Amino acid sequence: MKTGYVGIANKIWDEVIRRNFTKRQKDILLFLWRLSYGCQQDVAIVSKQKYFAICGVGEGHIGQELKILTECKVISRNGSEYRFNEDCHLWQVSPVRGWDEEIFKTILHDNIESSKRRKLTDSVSSANEETYQKGKSSKASNLPKQEVKQANKVTEMVSCQTGEFEVETYQNSEISSEEKLPIREVVESENLTESATEKNVDFEETYRKGKSKLTEKVSPTPKKASRGAASERSKYSIKDSKDKYIVEIVNHLNDKAGKNFSPKTKNTIKLISARLGEGRTLEDFKYVVDVKVAEWKGTDREKYLRPETLFTETHFEAYRNQPFPTGEVLAKGGGSRSQNNKARLQQRMGEIERESQTGDAFAFASINGLPDGRNN
């Protein structure tokens, strides 16, 4: 790590790209990296969870996302301290669906080659520009026009031949306006110019065809991890966590309502996943099930104790905010208050009649608040 930027190893970037993180989870990781590595420390200090809203994760979602990242061993938490786990092989996060190791290495190799070609081209261009600027030394401007032209020719010849900047030697020499360069030197200068031009053309053509010898030595493809303890550590992913919630929710509904719904039904998975994606918790689902079972079980509305009724968006919101019933609903069909009272009275009268037939006549007196007439 160096001051001024956050240094993250390429292997960690590769794993973050490869793993199936949600957008919120990636935002949390970037936020923690900035606060830890970006501040020259191993931990990020976030005193309140609501501060994660800075990176775009609201209070309704941050608790669930932090819990998942912790369960999947991507981060660890100790109070307000958050630590990123650099041991990527311990992450219990499955790869993205479209991941292909070979294609990724091919793309990576192409970009490394492109970077090398650009750096080499920029280096050559910079050296040529520097040579050209030095060739226009202010000392040459004091010579007559004809002498300046001749001095520039000599400068170009020397630059191509030696690659060194020996301009001042020739510009400081006194060249007569009537003196001409020897024919042999002019011919050599032309040959050198043509040779340098041909070399530049060959050099550019080599890079255009992608036949540069500056290739990266790519390490062989790592072998797939053998089945065993390592694969057992990574078999639970974020998707697996969601699947476990779905199974627990459906089992809770079956237990409370006396049903036998399957957690593998496509529509059930879709409904529960949509609510989880909105930030709903396991406790929210259990409350909705419990409150509707208390209201509908034993009535003609019991048939609606099913996922497609309870877990749709509009129903779920209304049921979650419904107060829990204070007493048992006796009127079948969930009628009005008068219907419910009538049903209670009819049921109680039936019980009294049955008790009187068995000799328990005191029950009638007890319901009216009278003494039962028995001697103590």
Side-chain angles (χ1 to χ4, degrees):
M1 296 183 291
K2 294 183 180 179
T3 304
Y5 66 90
V6 180
I8 304 294
N10 283 338
K11 71 171 185 177
I12 293 179
W13 282 116
D14 295 348
E15 286 299 319
V16 172
I17 294 170
R18 186 174 76 89
R19 305 294 183 121
N20 190 22
F21 290 107
T22 65
K23 180 182 181 301
R24 292 192 186 104
Q25 291 159 6
K26 288 183 179 179
D27 290 340
I28 291 172
L29 292 180
L30 293 176
F31 187 52
L32 295 180
W33 287 346
R34 178 61 183 89
L35 298 178
S36 56
Y37 299 147
C39 297
Q40 305 294 305
Q41 59 183 0
D42 294 331
V43 296
I45 309 298
V46 184
S47 57
K48 296 181 180 179
Q49 281 194 8
K50 66 180 182 179
Y51 292 160
F52 281 91
I54 294 174
C55 66
V57 184
E59 290 187 63
H61 302 285
I62 184 57
Q64 181 70 13
E65 298 296 351
L66 289 174
K67 180 180 178 181
I68 292 175
L69 288 173
T70 303
E71 290 178 351
C72 294
K73 298 185 180 356
V74 180
I75 64 173
S76 60
R77 180 181 179 184
N78 182 16
S80 61
E81 294 185 355
Y82 298 82
R83 186 183 300 272
F84 174 70
N85 182 12
E86 297 180 356
D87 295 330
C88 307
H89 67 281
L90 296 178
W91 296 357
Q92 297 177 1
V93 184
S94 58
V96 294
R97 184 176 299 177
W99 176 258
D100 189 305
E101 185 79 16
E102 295 301 324
I103 294 177
F104 179 71
K105 286 187 175 181
T106 300
I107 297 173
L108 193 62
H109 174 76
D110 292 343
N111 282 271
I112 291 174
E113 286 301 301
S114 174
S115 175
K116 287 184 177 182
R117 288 195 295 270
R118 288 176 182 275
K119 287 180 179 179
L120 189 54
T121 303
D122 292 343
S123 177
V124 172
S125 300
S126 177
N128 290 341
E129 178 67 20
E130 189 176 356
T131 302
Y132 177 75
Q133 294 295 336
K134 287 189 175 182
K136 291 184 175 182
S137 174
S138 59
K139 294 181 180 180
S141 61
N142 296 326
L143 297 173
K145 292 183 179 180
Q146 186 175 358
E147 293 180 0
V148 170
K149 290 181 181 180
Q150 291 175 348
N152 286 341
K153 288 182 180 179
V154 175
T155 300
E156 292 174 4
M157 179 186 71
V158 173
S159 298
C160 294
Q161 186 174 3
T162 65
E164 299 175 356
F165 308 125
E166 300 177 355
V167 179
E168 283 193 18
T169 304
Y170 285 88
Q171 288 179 344
N172 290 335
S173 61
E174 297 179 358
I175 303 177
S176 172
S177 61
E178 297 180 356
E179 182 182 1
K180 295 182 180 180
L181 293 173
I183 296 176
R184 183 177 178 182
E185 289 186 12
V186 174
V187 173
E188 288 179 353
S189 176
E190 292 176 354
N191 291 337
L192 288 170
T193 303
E194 292 176 359
S195 175
T197 303
E198 290 174 358
K199 288 182 180 179
N200 287 335
V201 171
D202 292 339
F203 180 80
E204 293 176 1
E205 186 176 357
T206 299
Y207 278 107
R208 281 199 303 270
K209 292 181 179 180
K211 293 181 179 180
S212 171
K213 293 181 179 180
L214 299 174
T215 57
E216 179 194 20
K217 293 182 180 179
V218 181
S219 59
T221 304
K223 295 182 179 179
K224 293 184 178 179
S226 59
R227 294 182 180 178
S231 60
E232 285 294 321
R233 285 195 301 268
S234 60
K235 69 178 181 179
Y236 293 111
S237 64
I238 290 177
K239 182 179 182 300
D240 296 331
S241 299
K242 184 181 291 184
D243 291 342
K244 288 192 294 185
Y245 288 150
I246 293 173
V247 171
E248 187 170 350
I249 290 166
V250 174
N251 287 342
H252 184 75
L253 174 59
N254 290 336
D255 293 340
K256 295 294 183 179
K259 305 291 184 179
N260 191 27
F261 295 110
S262 171
K264 297 182 179 180
T265 304
K266 185 181 294 186
N267 189 47
T268 300
I269 294 173
K270 179 180 178 181
L271 289 171
I272 296 177
S273 298
R275 302 293 79 77
L276 289 172
E278 295 168 356
R280 296 298 184 178
T281 64
L282 184 61
E283 288 70 22
D284 292 336
F285 282 91
K286 289 184 176 181
Y287 182 86
V288 168
V289 170
D290 293 345
V291 76
K292 301 315 290 183
V293 167
E295 180 181 354
W296 288 348
K297 192 171 183 180
T299 72
D300 59 357
R301 297 186 65 83
E302 184 175 356
K303 61 185 178 181
Y304 296 115
L305 293 173
R306 57 190 182 183
E308 53 265 36
T309 299
L310 301 177
F311 303 147
T312 57
E313 182 178 1
T314 53
H315 291 172
F316 193 93
E317 179 72 17
Y319 298 159
R320 182 61 184 86
N321 291 280
Q322 174 181 333
F324 207 87
T326 56
E328 183 181 6
V329 179
L330 298 176
K332 295 185 178 181
S336 64
R337 179 181 298 177
S338 61
Q339 290 173 331
N340 292 342
N341 292 335
K342 183 179 179 180
R344 291 190 182 93
L345 180 59
Q346 289 175 348
Q347 183 185 32
R348 187 59 181 150
M349 291 299 293
E351 292 173 357
I352 294 172
E353 183 177 353
R354 288 192 298 272
E355 291 172 356
S356 64
Q357 292 175 356
T358 60
D360 294 332
F362 69 92
F364 182 79
S366 64
I367 195 172
N368 290 285
L370 299 176
D372 59 8
R374 294 185 178 183
N375 295 323
N376 294 328

